[in-house]
């Protein structure tokens, strides 16, 4: 399970805060410039619960840092990155259904 956070398009990105949110959730963080970050969210299910709870918690953490972000959780980095950039709010994709989610 992979989570991507990206800044809302009409906001000024803050790479330091965005990366701080990701690092607060996981030690495995991959930067995608100042506007997006992807991290391994597999271990969070034991602490937070199912993906929808994880996504809300991550979005609240970002909001507490003054960030407006889009959150996508999927089974692959590519799917999470594309969906976070394409859809506002929170997007959840069950692992194995990424192709169907990306087709729309």
């Amino acid at each position: 399970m992979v989570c991507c956070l990206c800044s809302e398009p009409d906001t000024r990105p803050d790479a330091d805060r965005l990366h701080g949110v990701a690092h607060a959730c996981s030690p495995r963080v991959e930067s995608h410039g100042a506007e997006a970050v992807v991290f391994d969210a597999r271990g969070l299910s034991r602490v937070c619960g199912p993906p929808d709870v994880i996504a809300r918690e991550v979005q609240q953490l970002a909001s507490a840092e003054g960030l407006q972000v889009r959150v996508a959780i999927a089974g692959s980095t590519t799917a999470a990155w594309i969906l976070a950039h394409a859809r506002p709010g929170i997007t959840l994709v069950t692992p194995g259904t990424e192709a169907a989610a990306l087709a729309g």
Side-chain angles (χ1 to χ4, degrees), residues 5 27-28 50 56 70 84 93 96 102:
L5 300 176
R28 295 181 178 178
R56 284 194 309 271
R70 295 176 177 193
V93 178
L102 293 169

Side-chain angles (χ1 to χ4, degrees), residues 20-95:
V21 169
H23 280 288
C25 299
S26 175
R28 295 181 178 178
V29 176
E30 184 178 313
S31 176
H32 289 268
E35 299 174 355
V37 64
V38 176
F39 63 89
D40 181 356
R42 285 178 289 182
L44 293 177
S45 61
R46 286 176 281 166
V47 178
C48 296
D52 62 318
V53 174
I54 294 168
R56 284 194 309 271
E57 292 287 330
V58 170
Q59 193 172 50
Q60 289 174 358
L61 182 57
S63 180
E65 289 294 319
L67 300 170
Q68 294 179 3
V69 297
R70 295 176 177 193
V71 179
I73 296 179
S76 74
T77 300
T78 302
W81 190 91
I82 291 170
L83 292 166
H85 283 80
R87 298 181 183 172
I90 295 173
T91 303
L92 303 172
V93 178
T94 304

